[in-house]
């Protein structure tokens, strides 16, 4: 498989074809519709006689206050899609934390991504439509979403990640509109407990999902990521956890996403 990936990239480079970024709209019954999504395609997707090739998909989720354009402002997604031989999909997170809100019936982001977006992407593009051909990750709120979706839906995602993720929301009871989605922490602690990534760890099947997450040492989410790492170790869950100097900002995410894509590629195109 690795040899095939090298040949594929070589063909795309020889053809000199341009990568393509699309903005699409997906009709939804679970979130405000139409839902906007940015899609980056690898160079050569529609040219060079390789139109039968199917590509892995990396879903990259934005943070609070962002949208489907956030990742494209941080990194050159077209180039990354080409370099790593993947389709990159960036849905608008709508400040949802990527749950189905038990308080706001019109915000069912988890259902939208799992039941509508993933099948829609597989139907429109030449994807490797299997769990082994999918990864989900994100930054900040989207880091929580990447692990939330990946660990709750291992039937769809064999690969899950987070960069600077809010992997435990409970130390931040008044931030990022979480109370409007779950209720106040004082009155709804059971919902906060059941909607935070770190509490998924006891139910993870060891080795079934390839997990990577990272956080900068100057990030306000650094300690909760350290706690997530310790919790995974406690339950014997294999994972990759990386830390390096950096804050909660685009400069850090621009570096970290490259490492995550390298990790995902090693599982997409393994020997």
């Amino acid at each position: 498989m690795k040899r095939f990936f090298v040949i594929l990239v070589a063909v795309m480079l020889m053809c000199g074809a341009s990568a393509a970024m699309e903005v699409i709209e997906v009709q939804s019954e679970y979130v405000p519709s139409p839902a906007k999504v940015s899609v980056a395609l690898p160079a050569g997707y529609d040219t060079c006689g390789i139109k039968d090739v199917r590509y892995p998909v990396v879903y990259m989720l934005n943070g609070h206050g962002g949208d489907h354009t956030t990742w494209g402002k941080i990194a050159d997604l077209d180039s990354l899609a080409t370099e790593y031989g993947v389709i990159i999909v960036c849905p608008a997170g709508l400040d949802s934390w990527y749950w189905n809100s038990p308080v706001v019936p019109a915000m069912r982001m988890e259902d939208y991504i799992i039941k509508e977006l993933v099948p829609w992407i597989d139907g429109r593009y030449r994807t490797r439509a299997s769990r082994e051909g999918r990864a989900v990750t994100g930054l900040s709120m989207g880091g929580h979403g990447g692990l939330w979706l990946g660990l709750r839906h291992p039937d769809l995602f064999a690969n899950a990640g987070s960069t600077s993720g809010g992997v435990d929301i409970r130390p931040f009871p008044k931030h990022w509109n979480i109370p409007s989605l779950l209720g106040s922490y004082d009155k709804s602690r059971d919902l906060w407990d059941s909607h935070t990534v770190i509490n998924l760890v006891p139910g993870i099947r060891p080795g079934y999902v390839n997990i990577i997450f990272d956080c900068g040492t100057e990030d306000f989410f650094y300690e909760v990521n350290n706690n997530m790492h310790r919790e995974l170790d406690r339950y014997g869950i294999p994972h990759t956890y990386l830390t390096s100097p950096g804050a909660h900002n685009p400069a850090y995410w621009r570096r970290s996403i490259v490492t995550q894509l390298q990790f995902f590629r090693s599982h997409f195109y393994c020997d």
Side-chain angles (χ1 to χ4, degrees), residues 213 223 225-235 239:
F213 64 109
E223 191 53 39
N225 277 269
N226 287 338
N227 291 341
M228 180 77 175
H229 169 55
R230 287 190 283 265
E231 190 75 349
L232 288 165
D233 274 349
R234 184 162 77 94
Y235 282 89
H239 63 283

Side-chain angles (χ1 to χ4, degrees), residues 74-90:
I74 294 170
D76 185 342
L77 298 186
D78 289 340
S79 296
L80 291 175
T82 297
E83 181 174 358
Y84 294 100
V86 298
I87 296 171
I88 295 175
V89 177
C90 301

Side-chain angles (χ1 to χ4, degrees), residues 190-223:
D190 56 336
L191 290 178
W192 284 67
D193 287 342
S194 64
H195 285 73
T196 195
V197 160
I198 197 169
N199 283 344
L200 298 179
V201 171
I204 298 174
R205 174 179 165 185
Y208 193 54
V209 177
N210 305 308
I211 301 169
I212 182 171
F213 64 109
D214 62 71
C215 195
T217 54
E218 287 72 55
D219 197 306
F220 48 79
F221 282 145
Y222 181 56
E223 191 53 39

Side-chain angles (χ1 to χ4, degrees), residues 131-255:
R131 65 182 298 273
E132 293 81 9
R134 295 192 194 96
V136 58
T137 189
L139 65 88
S140 193
M141 177 189 79
H144 179 280
L147 293 178
W148 178 261
L149 296 173
L151 298 179
R152 281 173 54 84
H153 300 278
D155 56 320
L156 289 181
F157 299 101
N159 309 281
S162 166
T163 180
S164 301
V167 295
D168 188 349
I169 59 174
R170 295 168 299 177
F172 310 95
K174 297 182 179 180
H175 290 74
W176 309 298
N177 84 299
I178 300 175
S180 69
L181 297 168
L182 296 180
S184 70
Y185 181 65
D186 289 342
K187 295 181 180 179
S188 305
R189 292 195 182 191
D190 56 336
L191 290 178
W192 284 67
D193 287 342
S194 64
H195 285 73
T196 195
V197 160
I198 197 169
N199 283 344
L200 298 179
V201 171
I204 298 174
R205 174 179 165 185
Y208 193 54
V209 177
N210 305 308
I211 301 169
I212 182 171
F213 64 109
D214 62 71
C215 195
T217 54
E218 287 72 55
D219 197 306
F220 48 79
F221 282 145
Y222 181 56
E223 191 53 39
V224 295
N225 277 269
N226 287 338
N227 291 341
M228 180 77 175
H229 169 55
R230 287 190 283 265
E231 190 75 349
L232 288 165
D233 274 349
R234 184 162 77 94
Y235 282 89
I237 308 300
H239 63 283
T240 296
Y241 177 50
L242 303 171
T243 66
S244 63
H248 201 84
N249 59 35
Y252 177 82
W253 301 322
R254 194 174 298 115
R255 298 193 311 270

